[in-house]
Amino acid sequence: MTGPLISVTGAIALTRHEVERSTHLRTDPAWLAKAWDNPGTRVLVIDDGQALARIDDAAAELIYVSPEQAPDGPRFLLGVDFDEVPYFGVGGPLPRAADESAAPTLRRAGLREAGTLLTDRDAGLLTHAVALANWHAVAGFCPRCGAPTTPEMAGHSRRCTVDGSEHFPRCDPAVIMIVTDPDDRCLLARNAQWPARRVSVLAGFVEPGESAEQAVAREVREETDVTVSSVTYAASQPWPMPHNLMLGFRAQATTTEIMVDGEEIAEANWYSRDDLRNALLAGDLVMPPSLSISRWLIETWYGSKLPGLAAGRSSR
Ligand SMILES: [Zn+2]
C-alpha cells in the first residue's frame, strides 16, 4: 500500500449533496406557492446543462437568483436546506453578470468543469438541476400520443394533456467496472475515440431485459474477450450528461488473454500497481478525470491517490 485507503463516503464528486430533497413538499401546492413568493428562495437557472458560476482554479460557487429574477421555463423544486431556504431550478437563459469586467471569474459552467470544485451543497444541487432540466427539455410531448405534456409534482413528473398518462424523468443505467486478474493486476483500456495514452476501466450500457451484473460480463467479453466471474457492486454516481446513472462494479477475470474488438476499444492491457505507478510517473498514461467514478474505482484498487496527477477535490 502506498497510502491510506480512500473511503467510499463522499469520495465521488457528483454523489456529494447537502440539501434535503423534501419530496413530500412536491405535492403541497400551498407550500410551493408560498415558497415561490418568498424573495429569499434561491433559484438555479440551467441552460444547456450549464449554470452561472464564480469559478477559478481552486473553487467554484453557483450564482442563484430570486424567483422574481428567474426566467420563464420549466420549474422544479430541488429541496430545502438546514436553514429552511427553498431551492428551485428553472430551465431558461442564464442571468447576466451585472458587470463582467468587475467579475472576470463569473461565467457559465457545467458539471464537467465545475463538478469537483463546488461545495457539497452546490455539487448536489447542480447535478439534480441539470438532470431535471435535461429531461424537461425533451419531455414536452407525450411519447404515446404526441400531445403536449405539462409539469406536475413540482417539476418531477409530466402529464399528457390529452390521454392523462404520467411520465417520469428518464435515467439510463450504465455499468462501469474494474476488472482484476488472479495476480491482482487491473485491466485498463483505451477507447478508440480517445487520444493516445488516455486509458480507463471498461464501461457500457445495460440493455433492456439484462441485469447490471450480466451487462458487466457481456461488455468485458465483447470489448476485450476476457471472461469474468464474481461481479460485485461497488458504488454509483449520477451522470446527467444527458441522463445516465453509472453503476460501478468490481469483477474478477477467469481468463487473461486480451483480444480487443478494435472498434470501440483500441487497446487494453493488464497493469500491476507498480506498472501503473511507473507509467504515470513517466507520463506514458493519462488517467480519467477526478470527476469520474472510473478514477475512483482505479484509486480504490490502487490503494491511494494516483501519483503524478493534480489533486482533485472530488477525493476529499
Ligand atoms: Zn398522450
Side-chain angles (χ1 to χ4, degrees), residues 8-38:
V8 170
T9 311
I12 310 176
L14 301 186
T15 63
R16 297 179 297 132
H17 67 100
E18 194 175 283
V19 172
E20 167 65 42
R21 288 188 174 221
S22 309
T23 55
H24 61 290
L25 295 173
R26 294 174 190 169
T27 50
D28 186 340
W31 184 91
L32 290 167
K34 197 170 149 214
W36 194 254
D37 280 343
N38 175 2

Side-chain angles (χ1 to χ4, degrees), residues 142 144-147 160 163 165:
C142 176
R144 291 189 182 181
C145 75
C160 176
D163 65 25
S165 58

Side-chain angles (χ1 to χ4, degrees), residues 74-295:
R75 182 196 308 172
F76 35 89
L77 176 65
L78 295 172
V80 179
D81 75 7
F82 301 130
D83 298 321
E84 301 295 314
V85 176
Y87 289 81
F88 285 83
V90 169
L94 299 188
R96 289 172 56 112
D99 179 359
E100 302 213 355
S101 63
T105 57
L106 213 56
R107 56 190 161 92
R108 43 189 304 150
L111 289 167
R112 286 179 200 278
E113 186 180 8
T116 59
L117 300 173
L118 295 166
T119 62
D120 289 358
R121 182 199 69 176
D122 280 2
L125 288 171
L126 184 60
T127 307
H128 189 182
V130 166
L132 279 171
N134 286 350
W135 175 66
H136 281 288
V138 298
F141 297 92
C142 176
R144 291 189 182 181
C145 75
T149 60
T150 52
E152 288 192 350
M153 300 272 292
H156 288 259
S157 74
R158 297 182 72 100
R159 192 178 293 277
C160 176
T161 50
V162 171
D163 65 25
S165 58
E166 191 178 15
H167 304 278
F168 293 95
R170 177 171 163 180
C171 183
D172 294 349
V175 290
I176 184 159
M177 47 280 184
I178 186 156
V179 179
T180 51
D181 77 356
D183 295 327
D184 205 23
R185 297 179 301 171
C186 87
L187 181 60
L188 298 176
R190 184 170 70 80
N191 189 293
Q193 311 290 324
W194 293 348
R197 298 182 296 142
R198 165 85 189 273
V199 294
S200 187
V201 295
L202 299 174
F205 288 107
V206 181
E207 294 197 336
E210 184 178 50
S211 73
E213 290 83 355
Q214 287 171 325
V216 168
R218 177 182 53 74
E219 287 283 347
V220 174
R221 186 71 186 266
E222 284 175 4
E223 294 182 346
T224 63
D225 205 36
V226 169
T227 301
V228 299
S229 65
S230 306
V231 177
T232 54
Y233 175 73
S236 67
Q237 168 162 264
W239 194 253
M241 300 176 238
H243 43 65
N244 298 122
L245 174 65
M246 305 301 296
L247 303 168
F249 286 86
R250 300 189 176 96
Q252 293 178 359
T254 54
T255 66
T256 56
E257 191 171 335
I258 294 169
M259 192 164 66
V260 295
D261 64 10
E263 290 181 16
E264 189 172 350
I265 299 297
E267 53 186 309
N269 287 293
W270 295 105
Y271 293 88
S272 69
R273 291 178 181 80
D274 283 345
D275 294 338
L276 185 60
R277 182 172 61 244
N278 293 338
L280 289 171
L281 291 174
D284 293 338
L285 287 182
V286 177
M287 286 285 105
S290 54
L291 182 68
S292 65
I293 189 173
S294 43
R295 175 84 159 260

